[in-house]
Amino acid sequence: VPSERDILDRLRRFSPGIGDDCFVYRPSPGEELLFTTDLLIEDVHFRRSTHSASDIGYTAAARGLSDLAAMGAAPRFLMLSLALPKWADSRFAGRVFAGLREHGVPLSGGDLSHAPLLICDIVACGSARRGTSLRRSGARPGDSIYVSGSLGGSALGLAIGHGRALHRHLRPEPRIALGEYLRARKKATAAMDLSDGLSLDLARLCRESGVAAEIEAPPIFPGATIEQALHGGEDYELLFTSHSFVPLLHKGVPITKIGMIVAGQPGAVLLNGRKLRALGYDHFARQK
Ligand SMILES: [Mg+2]
């Protein structure tokens, strides 16, 4: 079992704020702060057979950062609480931190403990100009619906366990630059990140906005099925609505129009004119 001091010494090398009782953040005037927290638990959200230590650190941070991207926030800092099982030594903890650091966002605090299973609890803080953060509730009939990138890659990677799709599953890229662009340029009326599958997440966005949606098939990750693209989780692409001009590409990330917001039963989604059931991530969990 690694000693707390051993792990803290590793942290101190790249996280100079660690050592005081609290981390002090001084927001600038006119800035609003956004916070999100996310749990990553062994055998619930990942397995040791698929995720290395650095994959775990990377993924924990990616999930929080994707939530910041969803609202157009610029990441400011991360906090990580880590509970380690007996098999995890301090080098393992160091590799978790290394995976987290791949995102280039400061790690400003956290906690260490022991548990029978590995548990990562991440807090991500971002900021935006006051009053400009993107919400799920702003979509209106007549808005176009867009997704970034392609969908289903993460579900495919989990299913087949190799290749580009597995990389996609282990190293999803939070769409931070795109989120900030959409917010700062007032391009999106509503936005969220796709963590639980398009069918479920689009229904959630529509419910928050009190509207319905009519879509066609989304862009599909090479090799994935339409079911994986519609219902597979953990792609961490952005889903947003807009009534202004949206480019087809932003900093190398494709943006595709997949449909329109319409008036109707809040949360109802039609795919090619047929009701799309919100199966989402739970469905895939049960199939495995
Ligand atoms: Mg989210």
Side-chain angles (χ1 to χ4, degrees):
V1 179
S3 81
E4 182 161 337
R5 211 188 67 193
D6 206 23
I7 295 173
L8 285 176
D9 284 346
R10 282 173 193 276
L11 266 174
R12 242 183 270 269
R13 276 177 232 154
F14 60 86
S15 192
I18 290 188
D20 280 317
D21 292 291
C22 291
F23 165 64
V24 180
Y25 180 80
R26 296 187 181 89
S28 58
E31 191 180 24
E32 65 186 6
L33 299 179
L34 297 86
F35 295 90
T36 178
T37 178
D38 215 80
L39 275 171
L40 194 67
I41 301 173
E42 183 184 349
D43 291 342
V44 176
H45 301 100
F46 72 93
R47 287 178 206 289
R48 280 168 69 193
S49 55
T50 53
H51 282 69
S52 70
S54 68
D55 291 336
I56 292 164
Y58 180 96
T59 301
R63 290 157 64 100
L65 294 173
S66 182
D67 278 334
L68 294 181
M71 298 187 68
R76 290 294 175 235
F77 60 85
L78 299 168
M79 299 181 123
L80 177 71
S81 292
L82 192 59
L84 293 170
K86 287 203 172 68
W87 53 260
D89 59 10
S90 64
R91 282 179 50 222
F92 182 95
R95 290 197 297 272
V96 172
F97 299 137
L100 186 138
R101 287 169 63 209
E102 285 179 38
H103 296 281
V105 178
L107 178 63
S108 301
D111 197 14
L112 286 170
S113 189
H114 300 291
L117 293 169
L118 187 80
I119 300 170
C120 273
D121 179 20
I122 193 104
V123 172
C125 172
S127 75
R129 196 158 62 76
R130 188 168 296 174
T132 65
S133 299
L134 302 175
R135 306 296 175 99
R136 294 182 180 184
S137 53
R140 296 293 174 261
D143 289 356
S144 298
I145 305 169
Y146 298 87
V147 293
S148 65
S150 62
L151 307 183
S154 188
L156 173 67
L158 189 60
I160 64 174
H162 63 83
R164 277 185 58 212
L166 179 64
H167 183 78
R168 170 85 198 188
H169 178 68
L170 298 175
R171 286 287 197 276
E173 289 176 40
R175 300 303 190 193
I176 290 161
L178 176 60
E180 283 193 67
Y181 164 81
L182 295 172
R183 181 191 56 76
R185 304 287 290 272
K186 298 187 168 67
K187 289 291 185 187
T189 50
M192 68 183 295
D193 66 321
L194 289 169
S195 55
D196 295 335
L198 177 67
S199 63
L200 187 55
D201 287 333
L202 178 56
R204 288 168 171 161
L205 185 144
C206 285
R207 216 173 296 126
E208 286 299 318
S209 293
V211 296
E214 292 180 357
I215 63 167
E216 297 171 357
I220 300 175
F221 188 92
T225 64
I226 177 75
E227 281 75 24
Q228 286 168 330
L230 289 171
H231 309 301
E234 300 181 293
D235 281 318
Y236 299 109
E237 294 293 350
L238 292 189
L239 168 70
F240 64 96
T241 59
S242 180
H243 57 220
S244 55
F245 169 79
V246 171
L248 296 173
L249 198 67
H250 181 262
K251 295 189 173 171
V253 179
I255 299 170
T256 308
K257 179 179 169 178
I258 61 166
M260 297 288 290
I261 295 292
V262 296
Q265 184 200 335
V269 178
L270 292 182
L271 171 69
N272 296 324
R274 291 183 172 188
K275 186 172 161 39
L276 177 66
R277 285 181 58 207
L279 298 176
Y281 184 73
D282 286 346
H283 171 73
F284 275 81
R286 264 182 266 120
Q287 278 194 336
K288 280 198 297 278

